[in-house]
Amino acid sequence: MKRMVSIQDISCFGKCSLTVALPITSAMGIETCAVPTAVLSTHTGGFTGYTYRDLTGDIPNIASHWKSINLEFDAVCTGYLGSFEQIKIVSDFFDDFKTDNNLLIVDPVMGDKGKFYAGFTHKFASEMRMLCKKADVILPNLTEAALLLDEEYVGENYDEDFIKNMLVKLSRLGSEIVVLTGVSFDKYSQGVMSYNRKTDEFSSYFSDNIPGYFHSTGDVFSSTLSGALVKGFDMGKSIKIAVDFTVDCIRHTLGSEKEHWYGVKFEECIPDLIEMIK
Ligand code: PXL
């Protein structure tokens, strides 16, 4: 059985981060171990008055206990990190658990639609570059890519050459593979473009562009992609599974966006995911 670690917050209500990663990767048949970076009563995307308990100090203790019982992982995946200080601690966690065969996957969660999520700063973005350097795979959206490269967010004003150039620059941060999400060259389709620095190859996969904003779809995508890679699917197939499942979850939520504005109804789509990985 494959085993991975997911390092991100637990938002008790709101369906993102760990409450998305655990059920999705478990459904894929992977033993997933959680390192919660913070406990929030809800996520920060549209709620006010949420509680926030920082767990930075717990992470090194969890790591040293796990080392003492010789735990090993097929992948270590990171998402929302709650504080600037956590990036360094997660970087030490990578050093503790990197092996010759496992994957370090970083989703540099910082913002979307050209804006930082609540509480994030340019200082955080520059520290995040350091974590991306250690990763095997990074999964930024276009906003996070611009922040990592310290460039202007261009909105929808880009073409394929611009994205390819961005992918190459992102790979120079240090990771072998870059998967850029939320790429759309026309109003009908949206998907991802990726670049492998070792083989110098680009690839892309697009699905239907569904108008609207759906919270936490980045977390659904990154959990599914990480799970598929851990299961042993190649990058192309893993991207296809992750995009198709994310779009499936969005379609399933259409029509109930009013009550379900805070996250997609991924739970009802889990049987489809199990079919996709058969
Ligand atoms: O989905 C990214 C995310 C994760 N965790 C928390 C968030 C967000 C985005 O808003 O607020 C706590």
Side-chain angles (χ1 to χ4, degrees), residues 8-11 15-18 38 40 42-47 50 52 79-81 107 109-111 117-118 120 144 213 215-220:
Q8 47 190 333
D9 69 284
I10 180 149
S11 289
K15 296 202 270 196
C16 66
S17 304
L18 282 178
L40 294 85
T42 65
H43 65 61
T44 66
F47 295 102
Y50 46 82
Y52 186 99
Y80 182 102
L81 302 180
D107 183 0
V109 175
M110 293 187 281
Y117 292 134
F120 287 87
E144 291 151 353
Y213 182 73
H215 199 275
S216 310
T217 47
D219 296 351
V220 171

Side-chain angles (χ1 to χ4, degrees), residues 156-175:
E156 289 162 15
N157 301 317
Y158 55 79
D159 58 14
E160 194 171 321
D161 283 345
F162 177 90
I163 296 294
K164 283 184 167 172
N165 194 16
M166 196 169 216
L167 283 163
V168 171
K169 285 187 285 184
L170 286 163
S171 79
R172 291 192 189 126
L173 293 178
S175 70

Side-chain angles (χ1 to χ4, degrees), residues 95-135:
D95 294 341
D96 282 341
F97 291 98
K98 179 68 191 159
T99 66
D100 290 343
N101 309 311
N102 69 3
L103 278 178
L104 304 179
I105 304 175
V106 171
D107 183 0
V109 175
M110 293 187 281
D112 202 4
K113 302 260 160 212
K115 295 208 175 79
F116 277 118
Y117 292 134
F120 287 87
T121 60
H122 284 284
K123 189 176 159 210
F124 184 96
S126 63
E127 191 74 357
M128 184 53 94
R129 270 175 227 140
M130 193 264 290
L131 198 60
C132 290
K133 186 176 175 174
K134 285 197 177 162

Side-chain angles (χ1 to χ4, degrees), residues 3-193:
R3 182 194 288 149
M4 62 186 264
V5 188
S6 182
I7 309 181
Q8 47 190 333
D9 69 284
I10 180 149
S11 289
C12 304
F13 180 82
K15 296 202 270 196
C16 66
S17 304
L18 282 178
T19 62
V20 164
L22 287 176
I24 286 179
T25 53
S26 298
M28 296 172 94
I30 299 159
E31 177 183 357
T32 306
C33 312
V35 175
T37 55
V39 182
L40 294 85
S41 51
T42 65
H43 65 61
T44 66
F47 295 102
T48 53
Y50 46 82
T51 67
Y52 186 99
R53 179 179 294 274
D54 182 72
L55 296 177
T56 306
D58 291 48
I59 301 172
N61 301 336
I62 294 171
S64 50
H65 182 222
W66 284 2
K67 280 302 274 182
S68 77
I69 55 172
N70 301 318
L71 288 184
E72 289 193 354
F73 304 98
D74 297 293
V76 179
C77 310
T78 73
Y80 182 102
L81 302 180
S83 69
F84 175 79
E85 293 72 28
Q86 265 177 20
I87 300 178
K88 168 80 180 82
I89 286 174
V90 170
S91 165
D92 293 343
F93 192 99
F94 278 0
D95 294 341
D96 282 341
F97 291 98
K98 179 68 191 159
T99 66
D100 290 343
N101 309 311
N102 69 3
L103 278 178
L104 304 179
I105 304 175
V106 171
D107 183 0
V109 175
M110 293 187 281
D112 202 4
K113 302 260 160 212
K115 295 208 175 79
F116 277 118
Y117 292 134
F120 287 87
T121 60
H122 284 284
K123 189 176 159 210
F124 184 96
S126 63
E127 191 74 357
M128 184 53 94
R129 270 175 227 140
M130 193 264 290
L131 198 60
C132 290
K133 186 176 175 174
K134 285 197 177 162
D136 299 300
V137 184
I138 61 170
L139 314 168
N141 61 29
L142 284 165
T143 302
E144 291 151 353
L147 289 168
L148 288 171
L149 296 174
D150 205 12
E151 290 180 0
E152 281 288 299
Y153 172 69
V154 295
E156 289 162 15
N157 301 317
Y158 55 79
D159 58 14
E160 194 171 321
D161 283 345
F162 177 90
I163 296 294
K164 283 184 167 172
N165 194 16
M166 196 169 216
L167 283 163
V168 171
K169 285 187 285 184
L170 286 163
S171 79
R172 291 192 189 126
L173 293 178
S175 70
E176 188 173 311
I177 295 171
V178 181
V179 179
L180 192 55
T181 61
V183 177
S184 175
F185 297 119
D186 59 57
K187 62 180 187 225
Y188 308 107
S189 57
Q190 190 182 145
V192 308
M193 269 194 88

